[in-house]
Amino acid sequence: MTTATAPSPTSTAPTPHQVWKRARGLLIALLILVIAGVTFAAVRSGTNYGHLDPRSADAKGSRAAAELLKARGISVTVATTLDEATTAAGPDTTLLVTGPNLLTPAQQRRLHEATTASTGRTVLIAPGPAAASRLSPGVRTEPHRPVSPLPPSCAFPAARSAGTADMGGVRYTAPDSTATACYPSDGTPSLLILKGRGDGDTVLLGSPDFLHNERLDQQGNASLALQLLGSRPHLVWYLPSLADPSATSDDGSPDNNDNGNDTNGGGNGGEASGEESDFLDLIPSGWLWGTLQLTLAAVLAAIWRGRRLGPLVVERLPVSIRASESAEGRAGLYRKANARDRAAESLRAAARTRIARLAGVTAREAHTSDVLLPAVSARTTTTGDDLSTLLFGRAPADDAALVLLAEHLDALEREVRTS
C-alpha cells in the first residue's frame, strides 16, 4: 500500500517568450535563406535575356550565331522597338524579326511598308497565318511539324551550301512561281524566299531552332545561319516587345492581334509561334534557382528539427492514489458489471504468482497446472482435486462463493508460507 503524497504542480503551456527562444534560430536561418535567394534571383534576372536574343548565352539564346557573324565583319545591332527597326532598314541591311506574331496588325503593316521600300533582306521567324498575310501578302501557312534534320531539296545557294539543317515548324506556300521553297517537311517547305523590289527579298523560316546556341554546331545550322543573316554588311536583330510604345493604337488602347494562334509565347526575344513551350520556360531562371534553394533549405530544416526528439519526459500524476482505494475502485467496477469471472481470475492469478515464488516455481511456469500443482501439494495438506479447483477452477456462481474463494486462497498462501 502506498502512502499519500502532496500533489505535484501540473505542466503549463509555454509562454510566448519561450516559444520565441525555441524558434528564433530556425526563423533567422529561413530569413537569411529567403534574402539570399531573392538577391541571387535578382542578380541573375538582371543579366538574363530571352530566347533568340543575340546577347544570351543560354541554350535557347543566339549569342553564338551573333559572335560568328561579328567575326565575319557583320555589324549586329539589337532593336527592341519598331521605330528602331524601320529606321535601320536599308538596302545593305538584313532585318531579322524574331517575334513577328508579337506585333499588332498596325505594327505589321508598318513594318511591311518599311521593308518593301528598303530593298534589303527581311527574315521572319515563324510568322503565323495573320502575321504572314500582312508581312508577306499571298503566303499561306500550313500546320506545325516537329523540327528535325531536313535536306534542302532546292536550288537556293545558301541552302545547298549548308546542306542538311534542323528545320520544320510552320510551313509556307506561295502562289508566286518566283518564290524559292526549301527544306520541305511532309512535302511543304519550311523555308520560303520571296523576291522583292530590286535586290531585296523576304525569308520566312518555320522554326528558329537552328539559331539556338544548343543547335548551332549541329548539321549545317551554322552555315545556314551565317549565309541567311550575313548576306548584307549590317544585321538588325529586332526583338519585338509588348512594351513598345507603337504597340498602342491612336486612341491609346492596345491594338490586339486578330488571330489567337499568332500569339507569341515569349516577351522580348520570345520563342516563335509554332514552337511548343513549357510553362517553366516562361519563368526567369533566377527565380527557379531561388525556389530550388528554398525547397532544399526547407527539407534540410525539417530533417534537422525532426531528429531533435529530446529526452523522454515522465508525466507526473496530478494526485497520488492509495493502493486500497485503487483496489476498492476496481472491485466496484467488477461488481457493477457483475464480472465475477474476471474478479475470480484476477484473484487466482495473483495468488498463483505469489504461491509459485514460495514453492520454488519460476514465474513463467506459475500458471501451468502440471508444474505448479505438484510443487504446492508437497507443501500443503490439501488434496490434488481440491487444490486444482481452488487455483484453476471455474468462476464462482454468486458473490458469496467469490468471497469464499478469496478466503481459501489466503489460507492456502499462509499454509505454503509457513510450511
Side-chain angles (χ1 to χ4, degrees), residues 68 100 163 168 182 217-218 291 307 345 363 415 419:
L68 288 177
C182 299
D217 61 343
Q218 302 175 14
T291 303
R307 62 181 294 272
E345 179 57 30
E415 185 179 1
S419 62

Side-chain angles (χ1 to χ4, degrees), residues 153-193:
S153 302
C154 67
F156 185 48
R160 292 179 62 86
S161 176
T164 301
D166 290 330
M167 297 296 293
V170 185
R171 298 168 300 158
Y172 304 97
T173 58
D176 189 354
S177 59
T178 61
T180 303
C182 299
Y183 296 101
S185 176
D186 288 346
T188 306
S190 56
L191 186 152
L192 191 66
I193 303 99

Side-chain angles (χ1 to χ4, degrees), residues 315-338:
E315 183 181 2
R316 296 180 179 180
L317 294 176
V319 179
S320 296
I321 303 176
R322 294 176 181 269
S324 59
E325 293 179 0
S326 177
E328 291 176 0
R330 178 171 295 186
L333 293 175
Y334 282 150
R335 183 175 183 179
K336 185 177 182 179
N338 200 24

